[in-house]
């Protein structure tokens, strides 16, 4: 890894024409690998719904590439910047420059997408890239390595495969930037490792993304959207609804609406092609343990007709009113379990959210513009999605990232380009130069000029 990085650092950045060429090749190659990617991810998960992979691993990546290709000329232009009139007729500009060699560290939950989306930003910005995919989804990691080798030379994009030790060594490399996607816990380790080299970071982390439902909002519409967002990829999504906060008077209505929608979308789960499995035995055990210490009457598995959970699939499950001290309310769930907690009113829900780490996304179902404004201005979260789940991730120009415990910095579209660039400030001194008017020695005249200027 060290030698490869050293070699890449000595090479020039990718030219504008090469970036465009490679992004086009990347889109075509992803399309030609589509079925292989879907199969590899499914193999890694033991089963991943194919349509979910089509949307989340293929479609969103192609859209991101198209968006970059459409805008790259404008993004890369040196832009004239406002110049303080006192320095007239000098000029200021901002000139984007590739950071150098960027490291991308990806998690297992969308193992292809979360390599490709950061890569698009890094290549559009002209960087060379080293990639460390997740070891948990080894088939997809290998296929990604092969696919990227079909598009890029090894000195443009180099993929490193390996376990956590390799990931640890990767994060200690003197890279020029790291975009890390993963858990908050590992994000802290990566930040510590990167600090030795003062490597700049974009941290795309996780956490608990809450859902609020306003008293005026159609429960059937809210339930339909929540079911789609929560059980897509069996809840193994960084922005999956983690828990719902509901007023006491609407709790029973919510539970009924969710039951109806789940039974409509997933009448069974164990053999259902549309329902994705839990990625591995460790995560199955982790999720099973999360249910420990709860009263059985609080746990409602909502799919199937008495099917048994298997090592790879867990039924969509509601957890009614768990105590706030229970692990299910303390840890990111990252699976098909969904707690529902009762809240007094919107203000108490906002207080609850503000007393916990900043979420990656906050979901609010409401048609009341005053309440929407209240939630938007009185809470902190990476993103706020009104009346729909997940699709804000697919808006290629919209910055995506967390705040505080859910992350640092953001990417997608122009924001991704900026994250991977050094936005160099440039000052051009004009030949006509009045700056001498305020240089030492400070005569009476200069003192007067300074007084006028200040
Ligand atoms: P993880 O943090 O365990 O692993 C992520 C990456 O870190 C992997 O490539 C892994 O090899 C590496 N890694 C693991 N231990 C390491 C260590 N000690 N030192 C250095 N690197 C190490 O995360 P995960 O389980 O793969 O993914 C799930 C988490 O990712 C969830 O918290 C989820 O919310 C988050 N996530 C966030 C986003 C986002 O865009 N914000 C997207 C997807 C997932």
């Amino acid at each position: 890894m060290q030698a490869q990085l050293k070699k890449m650092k000595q090479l020039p950045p990718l030219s504008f024409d090469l970036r465009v060429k490679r992004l086009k090749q990347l889109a075509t190659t992803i399309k030609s690998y589509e079925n292989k990617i879907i199969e590899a991810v499914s193999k890694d998960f033991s089963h991943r719904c194919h349509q979910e992979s089509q949307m989340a691993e293929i479609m969103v990546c192609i859209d991101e590439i198209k968006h970059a290709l459409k805008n790259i000329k404008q993004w890369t232009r040196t832009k004239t910047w406002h110049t303080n009139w006192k320095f007239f007729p000098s000029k200021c500009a901002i000139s984007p420059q590739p950071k150098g060699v960027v490291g991308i560290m990806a998690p297992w939950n969308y193992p292809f997408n979360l390599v490709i989306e950061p890569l698009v930003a890094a290549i559009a910005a002209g960087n060379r890239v080293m990639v460390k995919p997740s070891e948990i989804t080894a088939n997809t990691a290998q296929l990604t390595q092969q696919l990227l080798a079909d598009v890029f030379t090894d000195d443009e994009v180099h993929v490193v495969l390996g376990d956590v030790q390799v990931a640890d060594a990767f994060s200690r490399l003197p890279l020029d930037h790291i975009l890390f996607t993963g858990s908050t816990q590992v994000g802290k380790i990566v930040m510590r490792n990167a600090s030795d080299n003062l490597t700049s970071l974009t941290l795309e982390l996780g956490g608990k993304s809450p859902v609020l439902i306003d008293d005026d909002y159609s429960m059937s519409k809210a339930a339909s959207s929540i079911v789609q967002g929560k059980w897509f990829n069996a809840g193994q999504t960084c922005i999956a609804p983690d828990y719902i906060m509901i007023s006491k008077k609407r709790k029973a209505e919510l539970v009924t609406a969710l039951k109806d929608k789940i039974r409509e979308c997933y009448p069974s789960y164990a053999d259902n092609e549309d329902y994705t499995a839990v990625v591995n035995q460790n995560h199955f055990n982790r999720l099973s343990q999360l249910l420990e210490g709860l009263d059985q009457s609080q746990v409602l598995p909502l799919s199937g007709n008495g099917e048994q959970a298997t090592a790879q699939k867990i039924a969509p499950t509601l957890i009614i009113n768990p105590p706030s001290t229970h692990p299910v309310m303390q840890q990111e769930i990252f699976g098909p379990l969904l707690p529902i907690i009762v809240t007094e009113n919107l203000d108490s829900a906002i207080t609850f959210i503000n007393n916990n780490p900043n979420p990656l996304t906050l979901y609010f179902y409401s048609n009341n513009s005053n309440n929407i404004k209240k939630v938007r201005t009185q809470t902190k979260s990476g993103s706020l999605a009104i009346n729909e789940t997940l699709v804000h991730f697919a808006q290629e120009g919209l910055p995506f990232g967390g705040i505080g415990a859910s992350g640092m910095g953001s990417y997608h579209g122009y924001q991704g380009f900026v994250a991977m660039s050094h936005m160099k400030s440039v000052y051009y001194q004009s030949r006509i130069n009045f700056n001498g008017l305020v240089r030492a020695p400070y005569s009476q005249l200069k003192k007067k000029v300074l007084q006028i200027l200040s």
Side-chain angles (χ1 to χ4, degrees):
M1 275 192 282
Q2 290 275 7
Q4 179 65 25
L5 174 61
K6 203 170 166 197
K7 189 169 160 208
M8 288 167 97
K9 279 201 165 199
Q10 280 157 3
L11 295 167
L14 307 192
S15 69
F16 179 84
D17 288 347
L18 188 60
R19 300 179 206 182
V20 171
K21 183 176 168 194
R22 292 291 188 247
L23 287 173
K24 284 182 181 165
Q25 283 175 323
L26 183 61
T28 323
T29 312
I30 291 174
K31 269 318 259 180
S32 73
Y33 268 68
E34 178 164 350
N35 289 335
K36 285 187 194 163
I37 296 164
I38 291 171
E39 276 163 29
V41 178
S42 195
K43 201 168 169 193
D44 283 326
F45 276 72
S46 90
H47 176 71
R48 155 78 85 73
C49 165
H50 287 201
Q51 290 67 33
E52 289 178 355
S53 290
Q54 209 173 3
M55 284 185 266
E57 311 283 0
I58 310 292
M59 191 177 85
V60 179
C61 292
I62 300 281
D63 286 347
E64 187 72 23
I65 298 172
K66 283 185 184 160
H67 181 76
L69 284 168
K70 201 168 143 200
N71 294 287
I72 188 169
K73 209 168 189 172
Q74 196 222 330
W75 293 349
T76 48
R77 243 196 318 250
T78 295
K79 293 175 189 71
T80 309
W81 200 249
H82 166 80
T83 313
N84 187 321
W85 65 269
K86 290 165 198 159
F87 301 89
F88 180 81
S90 299
K91 286 204 164 49
C92 290
I94 295 181
S95 183
Q97 185 169 42
K99 282 198 166 171
V101 184
V102 166
I104 294 172
M105 302 182 73
W108 54 262
N109 64 323
Y110 294 100
F112 186 70
N113 176 309
L114 294 168
V115 166
I116 300 300
E117 292 226 32
L119 181 73
V120 172
I123 295 297
N127 298 285
R128 294 173 189 272
V129 184
M130 290 180 77
V131 177
K132 166 65 184 75
S134 172
E135 61 286 351
I136 291 181
T137 36
N139 293 296
T140 313
Q142 247 171 26
L143 189 71
T144 305
Q145 186 182 45
Q146 186 188 325
L147 183 153
L148 293 179
D150 284 357
V151 178
F152 298 95
T153 68
D154 199 39
D155 292 338
E156 291 163 5
V157 175
H158 178 78
V159 179
V160 176
L161 301 181
D163 59 12
V164 172
Q165 277 77 37
V166 175
D168 181 71
F170 188 94
S171 65
R172 291 172 192 276
L173 290 172
L175 290 151
D176 297 303
H177 187 77
I178 293 178
L179 188 144
F180 168 85
T181 308
S183 60
T184 302
Q185 196 191 351
V186 176
K188 289 179 189 173
I189 300 174
V190 168
M191 190 166 178
R192 271 196 290 273
N193 290 350
S195 71
D196 279 343
N197 300 306
L198 289 178
T199 298
S200 59
L201 288 166
T202 304
L203 295 178
E204 296 284 334
L205 309 178
K208 294 178 87 62
S209 293
V211 180
L212 309 180
I213 306 172
D214 212 348
D215 284 342
D216 73 335
Y217 199 80
S218 152
M219 196 55 92
S220 131
K221 273 195 192 169
S224 173
S225 158
I226 293 167
V227 167
Q228 167 69 16
K230 176 67 187 182
W231 285 285
F232 192 97
N233 207 26
Q236 300 163 108
T237 305
C238 54
I239 48 172
D242 191 275
Y243 62 95
I244 305 178
M245 300 177 91
I246 189 80
S247 62
K248 196 171 178 186
K249 64 179 177 204
R250 300 201 79 190
K251 192 188 99 181
E253 192 192 351
L254 170 66
V255 173
T256 308
L258 286 173
K259 275 183 184 170
D260 290 348
K261 273 294 158 198
I262 290 169
R263 289 195 177 124
E264 186 187 316
C265 294
Y266 307 108
S268 64
Y269 69 96
D271 296 322
N272 188 341
E273 296 277 299
D274 296 342
Y275 193 67
T276 293
V278 172
V279 72
N280 60 25
Q281 184 72 47
N282 285 347
H283 281 275
F284 180 87
N285 295 344
R286 176 184 66 79
L287 289 161
S288 307
Q289 279 159 16
L290 267 186
L291 294 174
E292 285 171 9
L294 290 165
D295 192 303
Q296 278 319 296
S297 64
Q298 290 176 288
V299 180
L300 303 181
L302 289 184
S303 176
N305 303 308
E307 291 163 283
Q308 289 298 306
T310 68
Q312 293 288 356
K313 282 195 178 177
I314 295 178
T317 302
L318 300 184
I319 304 171
I320 312 297
N321 249 340
S324 60
T325 50
H326 189 276
V328 87
M329 287 306 297
Q330 294 288 322
Q331 297 169 20
E332 177 182 8
I333 292 176
F334 219 56
L337 319 175
L338 180 60
I340 295 175
I341 56 173
V342 169
T343 181
E344 284 284 311
N345 52 37
L346 190 56
D347 286 320
S348 53
I350 289 174
T351 304
F352 185 87
I353 290 164
N354 290 340
N355 285 339
N356 281 285
N358 302 143
L360 186 54
T361 295
L362 172 58
Y363 294 105
F364 186 36
Y365 292 89
S366 177
N367 291 319
N368 180 323
S369 54
N370 287 333
N371 286 349
I372 292 174
K373 186 174 174 199
K374 187 175 198 171
V375 169
R376 179 166 55 78
T377 54
Q378 294 185 10
T379 59
K380 269 199 266 178
S381 56
S383 43
L384 169 67
I386 311 290
N387 301 339
E388 188 51 297
T389 49
L390 305 193
V391 296
H392 56 295
F393 183 87
Q395 312 308 315
E396 56 274 357
L398 194 65
F400 182 82
I403 174 168
S406 57
M408 183 187 291
S410 56
Y411 76 121
H412 286 192
Y414 181 61
Q415 198 56 41
F417 175 84
V418 171
M420 303 289 186
S421 301
H422 170 55
M423 302 304 275
K424 184 183 273 184
S425 51
V426 184
Y427 176 80
Y428 300 94
Q429 177 58 54
S430 149
R431 276 189 223 181
I432 305 167
N433 186 341
F434 300 111
N435 297 345
L437 285 177
V438 288
R439 276 189 197 133
Y442 294 103
S443 62
Q444 284 308 318
L445 176 67
K446 286 181 181 176
K447 284 179 189 165
K448 269 205 177 125
V449 170
L450 253 180
Q451 238 161 13
I452 293 165
L453 290 178
S454 55

